[in-house]
Amino acid sequence: MNKEKTTDILHILGETIAPGKSKTINFNIAKLYTSTKVEIPVIVERSKNAGPTVLITGGIHGDELNGVEVVRQIIAKKINKPARGTIICIPLLNVFGFLSMDRYFPDGKDLNRVFPGTKNGSLASRFAYQFVNEILPHVDFCLDFHTGGASRFNAPHIRVAPDNTSLIEYAKIFNAPFTLFSKNIKKSYRSICAQKDIDILLFEGGKSQDNNRDIAKEGVEGTMRILAHLEMLLPHFEIPIQKQDTVFIEKSMWIRAKYSGLLHIKVPYGKKVEKGEELATITDPYGKMRHIVKAPNQGYIINVNEAPIVYKGDAIFHISQKLP
Ligand SMILES: [Zn+2]
């Protein structure tokens, strides 16, 4: 982390928050057709003791509930009350998508592909612009919670760019079961943070439109480990211990269905499998065909497609290719 930005009084979204104070700011982003205001609660907790500002976000994709759940638990358990510095929580960035259980904004845009946004662009772009200009300037460190798309269930992991040594160290501290090296996608939240020299860990776990307890636990406990490292976790919390060190995954590939049919998964997410191991079967509805999906190499299963039926070519497993 670079030099901490927060000094004394925090001026954010038109509000003033002194050290030791907390405030929920309703970030007014738009109006519905019905003239109903759409407001995003931004929950700010400040310690009297000076320190960094951490921003914790979920629901950038409106249907990724597990991420919203992680931030909800952090607030409900009062983990967001810092021993020093400031913690800003935004559990739900895309309220529109949350209402309709959709990844996108009503303008059809993926919020995570329009950063840094434009002042007079379409809805998602305007929102990104306000976020970048009114919230990010105050922030030293970001944690952003996601899930796999559609029915694809991600093993809990952190994503970092392979060349960012500072983030690799933070990923070790977060200590999710896996850490994936992945380049920053253009116009994503991660890429704008990289441009502005703000450290960000992106967490992936579970699948969209689903809420999994084990995944939420990984997200919350990793956050606690990061906050403890930053000396921001209040002393009455016990720092959760992870039995194993995070497994770094440098290279991975998608295993695709060779046939269309009913998909029967045989291995749990996160499992280390051997080359040739049976991972799933694909059958037809008539009991004639039974195709065995085998592991192309030894590796960890980091995503499992939980869809009951697949088309030929659909991604069914994400597997690591080079064991650490
Ligand atoms: Zn996402």
Side-chain angles (χ1 to χ4, degrees):
M1 194 185 295
N2 295 314
K3 208 169 157 284
E4 291 156 15
K5 289 169 191 152
T6 318
T7 46
D8 191 18
I9 304 290
L10 174 65
H11 298 281
I12 185 167
L13 297 164
E15 301 273 349
T16 303
I17 311 170
K21 301 286 178 196
S22 53
K23 201 171 253 183
T24 296
I25 306 166
N26 284 319
F27 180 14
N28 187 334
I29 63 155
K31 275 185 178 172
L32 297 178
Y33 309 125
T34 51
S35 296
T36 309
K37 276 192 208 162
V38 178
E39 290 176 331
I40 294 181
V42 177
I43 298 132
V44 184
E45 293 282 352
R46 301 201 67 201
S47 167
K48 279 186 180 154
N49 308 316
T53 298
V54 173
L55 173 62
I56 306 173
T57 50
I60 221 174
H61 296 127
D63 60 351
E64 296 183 355
L65 300 184
N66 236 136
V68 178
E69 172 64 12
V70 170
V71 190
R72 182 199 74 77
Q73 286 192 20
I74 288 166
I75 299 164
K77 293 175 178 170
K78 300 189 167 57
I79 297 163
N80 64 327
K81 290 194 181 291
R84 68 176 192 123
T86 303
I87 299 178
I88 303 172
C89 286
I90 312 177
L92 187 49
L93 278 171
N94 181 359
V95 170
F96 302 99
F98 191 71
L99 285 168
S100 53
M101 273 298 99
D102 189 3
R103 179 181 177 90
Y104 302 100
F105 257 58
D107 58 3
K109 297 267 172 62
D110 181 336
L111 177 60
N112 208 19
R113 301 289 183 272
V114 296
F115 282 94
T118 50
K119 198 174 180 181
N120 299 311
S122 72
L123 198 53
S125 187
R126 280 171 194 244
F127 177 76
Y129 181 86
Q130 287 192 65
F131 182 85
V132 167
N133 289 284
E134 304 210 19
I135 297 175
L136 268 194
H138 304 287
V139 174
D140 301 294
F141 192 97
C142 300
L143 286 156
D144 188 33
F145 291 90
H146 289 255
T147 79
S151 54
R152 285 186 286 274
F153 195 108
N154 267 323
H157 67 263
I158 289 288
R159 286 190 184 178
V160 291
D163 52 355
N164 194 324
T165 47
S166 152
L167 286 188
I168 290 168
E169 286 310 308
Y170 281 118
K172 285 182 190 165
I173 294 158
F174 190 100
N175 208 7
F178 301 99
T179 300
L180 237 76
F181 287 138
S182 79
K183 284 188 189 135
N184 290 339
I185 298 168
K186 234 179 141 192
K187 293 184 139 188
S188 68
Y189 180 26
R190 268 209 298 161
S191 72
I192 191 74
C193 285
Q195 278 172 36
K196 293 188 177 291
D197 229 355
I198 300 169
D199 287 322
I200 180 168
L201 289 183
L202 184 149
F203 175 89
E204 279 278 352
K207 62 180 178 179
S208 63
Q209 301 189 14
D210 188 43
N211 201 354
N212 180 288
R213 273 177 77 133
D214 297 335
I215 296 294
K217 190 167 178 280
E218 292 289 352
V220 171
E221 293 189 350
T223 302
M224 290 173 80
R225 286 187 283 271
I226 289 287
L227 293 176
H229 173 79
L230 299 173
E231 297 167 349
M232 293 174 76
L233 189 69
L234 282 172
H236 67 268
F237 286 107
E238 215 173 289
I239 305 166
I241 293 165
Q242 189 80 299
K243 284 180 217 101
Q244 281 168 333
D245 288 344
T246 188
V247 174
F248 281 93
I249 294 177
E250 289 174 32
K251 223 179 145 207
S252 57
M253 66 165 288
W254 284 96
I255 301 170
R256 294 185 180 275
K258 286 185 178 153
Y259 297 90
S260 300
L262 289 91
L263 178 66
H264 316 271
I265 300 293
K266 311 287 183 191
V267 289
Y269 70 80
K271 192 187 177 203
K272 185 180 174 183
V273 297
E274 298 303 322
K275 184 178 178 176
E277 188 172 329
E278 182 175 334
L279 303 179
T281 54
I282 298 172
T283 58
D284 66 21
Y286 313 107
K288 297 261 186 216
M289 186 263 287
R290 186 174 182 274
H291 168 73
I292 298 174
V293 180
K294 289 180 180 168
N297 57 270
Q298 188 192 50
Y300 289 96
I301 299 295
I302 46 179
N303 185 291
V304 174
N305 190 342
E306 294 186 342
I309 45 173
V310 285
Y311 275 110
K312 182 178 177 176
D314 281 356
I316 46 179
F317 293 103
H318 195 189
I319 186 170
S320 69
Q321 281 191 293
K322 218 168 91 188
L323 281 187

